[in-house]
Amino acid sequence: MQNDKQLIPHLFRTEYSKITAVLCKLFGIAHIELAEDIASDTFMQATETWGLKGLPENPTAWLYTVSKNKAKDYLKRNTLFTQKITRAIQNDQNEWYELEVDLSSKNINDSQLQMMFAICHPCISAEAQIGLSLRILCGFGIEEIADAFLTNKETINKRLFRAKEKLRTEEVKIEFPKIKEISKRLDAVLITLYLLFNEGYYSLSKNTILRKDLCLEAMRLNYLLVANPNTNLPPVNALLALMCFHASRFEARTDQHGEPVLYDDQDVNLWNQELIAKGEFYLNEAASGNSLSKYHLEAAIAYWHTKKNNTPEKWESILQLYNKLLIIEYSPMAALNRTYALARARDKADAIIEAEKLNLSGNHLYFSLLGYLYTGANNIKALENYRIALKIAKSDADKASIKKQLERILANK
Amino acid sequence: MNEFTLIFRNDQNPDVKFSPEQMQGVLQQWRDWMGGIAAQNKLANPGNRLGWDAKTVRPNNVVTDGPYAEIKEMISGFIVVKADTLDEATEIAKGCPVLKMNGSVEVRSIIPTNM
């Protein structure tokens, strides 16, 4: 019983998402709130009952039975609603049948996959897609979502409400896309999973446990796609590989006070070799077919970062991967990283010339990069750039890491 | 931002064969140059390299082998860049590796067509 405190929130989170997906699939997207309400009611009852009588033998089965009964009760009480949705479900079938809530693991997986496609619908913004994914597919509480986005509950509630309203008015169907359309629809799903993972990995939130959970949830959803033969496609594997490689450094990238530890200062012994091996497996799986997605390139870059030794081959490969990545899709982050790789693969003087063309003077990382490039050759210029970076950096973590660099240069003078 | 096409020309001699290392070196120069343009968010289209095989069609179905015989420099490829002015696009062209092979870059403004 001593683990109840940890077990229950976790159980609630995973089971909430499963029950909601199955019920929502059954009722249709227009009744998404009804599905959520029944799931929430179930957990309310669980908290009360379990608090008095202790945990049942099989908590999951208990939750499923109670939620099924609640769904049936609701349908009995609301015959109008029942007739409306059973008619929709029945379609051409002649016989009326009792609505069956199917909480088998196969139907749970199918429902969650279909929900994923419904939520990642282009009619709602990426931010709303991530928020809804966190709520509906991952079972996070509104407060946790607000914490992850560094905002308040009201903002998240409003955002989710508007998104659900939109899915309703657009009459988005909860179904598996047609085979021909999968790869197109999959793009939006992968972007959401990518952003969901990044939200956890790069979030400024100090809640490291929550951030890790966000990443693990993105990986779990990505794994659902890999486990289904229709969606087990090269970019899906590449994205999962990317997540595995990044996640392998979870333990090494923050110290015991929750402060970030830069890549070069990390203890390699804390890198998770099992996740690195998994990443390599999925990267190999991603190598079939002839499409090269940005996930392939980012995964390959992340692969090289799992090698601590700074061989010339490592940095030349990273540089060429960034070249390709930028040609596919520009981003300021990739431009800065490419210039850093250029300095490591060739020399800092070349990189300074390229850095000055980047036109990213609003970005503190740009000045940090220049600071790094000038360090050694011209420390006065290095300090100058790091000081500008310090002035425009916003988060405390960024400021702290810039200060560390400034101190390093001053100590070497 | 306007778009400009950079057209590469060089004296293509199919008899000159590069060693794998030389080829690697040439490719690396191109990748670095294009990566550098893309890092400035000025690459609109990575374009294509053009092959050796060529035929030219003239009026009355007259077909000859190869490109225009009177132009010694053959077009070997093109890319499209984003720049405010022709001068800025020309500045980008100055880094092109084709120049090291005694080739040239023609910088042309693009007129969008609405068909």
Side-chain angles (χ1 to χ4, degrees):
Chain A
M1 287 288 282
Q2 76 269 27
N3 284 329
D4 285 2
K5 277 214 166 73
Q6 289 161 330
L7 175 75
I8 293 174
H10 205 261
L11 189 73
F12 279 16
R13 195 186 279 168
T14 51
E15 298 309 330
Y16 176 92
S17 65
K18 290 176 183 174
I19 293 169
T20 308
V22 166
L23 292 179
C24 194
K25 161 75 187 149
L26 195 60
F27 302 153
I29 201 101
H31 308 290
I32 190 167
E33 267 141 4
L34 173 62
E36 287 185 279
D37 284 347
I38 291 175
S40 299
D41 272 359
T42 304
F43 292 112
M44 204 108 84
Q45 192 175 329
T47 320
E48 281 169 16
T49 316
W50 299 359
L52 289 171
K53 300 182 185 168
L55 272 190
E57 207 159 292
N58 185 342
T60 307
W62 190 100
L63 291 170
Y64 290 178
T65 309
V66 171
S67 62
K68 270 187 207 180
N69 290 338
K70 283 194 186 296
K72 280 185 186 161
D73 284 350
Y74 181 87
L75 297 177
K76 250 183 243 157
R77 267 184 282 122
N78 296 272
T79 39
L80 251 173
F81 171 78
T82 315
Q83 279 165 7
K84 219 163 73 188
I85 58 168
T86 42
R87 210 179 300 134
I89 294 167
Q90 263 181 304
N91 279 327
D92 303 326
Q93 292 180 35
N94 292 322
E95 277 178 49
W96 193 89
Y97 64 97
E98 204 184 337
L99 206 59
E100 200 43 60
V101 183
D102 176 6
L103 280 158
S104 65
S105 61
K106 186 187 177 300
N107 194 45
I108 288 173
N109 279 351
D110 286 353
S111 303
Q112 286 199 314
L113 264 182
Q114 293 172 16
M115 275 304 280
M116 221 190 284
F117 279 102
I119 288 174
C120 301
H121 195 274
C123 74
I124 56 173
S125 71
E127 240 180 11
Q129 289 178 20
I130 302 169
L132 265 190
S133 298
L134 285 170
R135 183 74 190 127
I136 308 289
L137 298 173
C138 314
F140 282 91
I142 301 295
E143 202 157 331
E144 291 172 309
I145 301 172
D147 191 4
F149 278 109
L150 297 177
T151 174
N152 54 37
K153 282 165 76 175
E154 288 68 44
T155 310
I156 296 296
N157 268 327
K158 258 185 232 153
R159 190 183 295 166
L160 296 192
F161 180 79
R162 271 198 300 264
K164 285 184 234 175
E165 199 59 39
K166 187 78 187 165
L167 291 177
R168 190 172 310 153
T169 52
E170 294 282 324
E171 293 177 19
V172 172
K173 294 231 166 31
I174 306 174
E175 62 186 9
F176 212 74
K178 295 187 187 74
I179 300 285
K180 273 192 297 189
E181 288 170 12
I182 283 184
S183 67
K184 208 176 100 199
R185 291 289 307 276
L186 206 51
D187 281 348
V189 176
L190 294 184
I191 290 172
T192 304
L193 296 187
Y194 177 81
L195 293 173
L196 181 57
F197 185 90
N198 285 354
E199 194 60 45
Y201 205 72
Y202 300 107
S203 165
L204 296 172
S205 166
K206 287 257 183 225
N207 188 341
T208 46
I209 296 171
L210 173 65
R211 291 177 47 187
K212 201 189 280 183
D213 278 351
L214 245 57
C215 294
L216 293 177
E217 278 298 316
M219 290 169 82
R220 182 182 68 84
L221 295 175
N222 199 337
Y223 184 75
L224 277 183
L225 293 172
V226 167
N228 185 303
N230 290 325
T231 47
N232 185 17
L233 297 169
V236 179
N237 282 278
L239 180 58
L240 189 51
L242 170 65
M243 291 181 187
C244 289
F245 289 138
H246 279 331
S248 73
R249 288 195 295 278
F250 266 147
E251 303 304 323
R253 63 199 289 273
T254 41
D255 64 15
Q256 60 265 45
H257 310 294
E259 296 298 328
V261 180
L262 294 179
Y263 175 76
D264 277 326
D265 303 328
Q266 287 172 11
D267 178 359
V268 183
N269 295 318
L270 293 175
W271 291 0
N272 184 325
Q273 293 304 321
E274 200 185 318
L275 277 171
I276 293 175
K278 272 193 185 159
E280 288 173 9
F281 172 80
Y282 291 117
L283 191 55
N284 275 325
E285 292 286 297
S288 62
N290 46 19
S291 74
L292 188 68
S293 66
K294 71 170 196 159
Y295 306 117
H296 283 89
L297 295 167
E298 288 198 34
I301 292 165
Y303 162 79
W304 279 105
H305 280 93
T306 64
K307 313 266 168 229
K308 186 79 178 185
N309 287 340
N310 287 311
T311 57
E313 190 199 3
K314 169 179 169 176
W315 287 106
E316 184 60 40
S317 303
I318 293 176
L319 171 62
Q320 293 311 335
L321 288 162
Y322 272 121
N323 281 340
K324 283 189 193 150
L325 180 62
L326 281 159
I327 290 170
I328 292 183
E329 188 182 294
Y330 170 83
S331 74
M333 220 34 229
L336 292 166
N337 286 333
R338 182 244 175 208
T339 313
Y340 178 80
L342 185 73
R344 300 297 296 253
R346 308 289 154 68
D347 60 59
K348 285 182 169 181
D350 278 0
I352 288 172
I353 298 170
E354 291 283 287
E356 268 155 7
K357 295 183 198 161
L358 291 183
N359 195 21
L360 289 172
S361 51
N363 190 327
H364 71 91
L365 292 169
Y366 171 70
F367 292 101
S368 285
L369 174 70
L370 280 175
Y372 163 79
L373 294 175
Y374 278 116
T375 302
N378 186 341
N379 279 352
I380 294 172
K381 279 207 126 171
L383 289 170
E384 209 173 90
N385 280 293
Y386 274 126
R387 283 187 182 122
I388 302 175
L390 188 61
K391 203 188 279 174
I392 59 178
K394 286 191 184 77
S395 83
D396 293 341
D398 287 333
K399 282 183 201 280
S401 95
I402 296 164
K403 269 185 201 148
K404 219 180 264 177
Q405 301 301 329
L406 274 168
E407 281 157 17
R408 273 186 199 180
I409 298 173
L410 291 167
N412 285 339
K413 254 189 171 174
Chain B
M1 275 271 178
N2 300 308
E3 292 191 353
F4 297 86
T5 302
L6 308 190
I7 300 159
F8 317 125
R9 294 172 196 276
N10 58 332
D11 208 351
Q12 296 203 9
N13 184 348
D15 297 331
V16 176
K17 292 265 188 292
F18 288 114
S19 71
E21 291 79 33
Q22 281 173 313
M23 200 58 212
Q24 203 53 41
V26 172
L27 278 177
Q28 191 189 62
Q29 286 178 20
W30 279 94
R31 286 180 184 140
D32 284 352
W33 180 60
M34 284 176 60
I37 299 168
Q40 301 169 54
N41 199 12
K42 287 180 181 168
L43 188 68
N45 188 322
N48 279 302
R49 286 164 64 194
L50 302 180
W52 305 106
D53 291 343
K55 281 188 189 292
T56 302
V57 182
R58 292 191 176 79
N60 303 318
N61 282 339
V62 176
V63 178
T64 53
D65 284 341
Y68 288 112
E70 53 271 33
I71 296 179
K72 199 177 137 222
E73 291 185 324
M74 212 167 136
I75 296 174
S76 59
F78 64 93
I79 65 170
V80 182
V81 299
K82 291 185 268 186
D84 286 326
T85 60
L86 181 64
D87 284 346
E88 191 189 332
T90 308
E91 213 43 54
I92 295 172
K94 284 180 183 169
C96 181
V98 81
L99 302 171
K100 290 182 192 157
M101 298 157 78
N102 228 3
S104 65
V105 184
E106 185 175 320
V107 185
R108 299 285 294 270
S109 62
I110 286 180
I111 301 163
T113 47
N114 297 313
M115 296 228 280

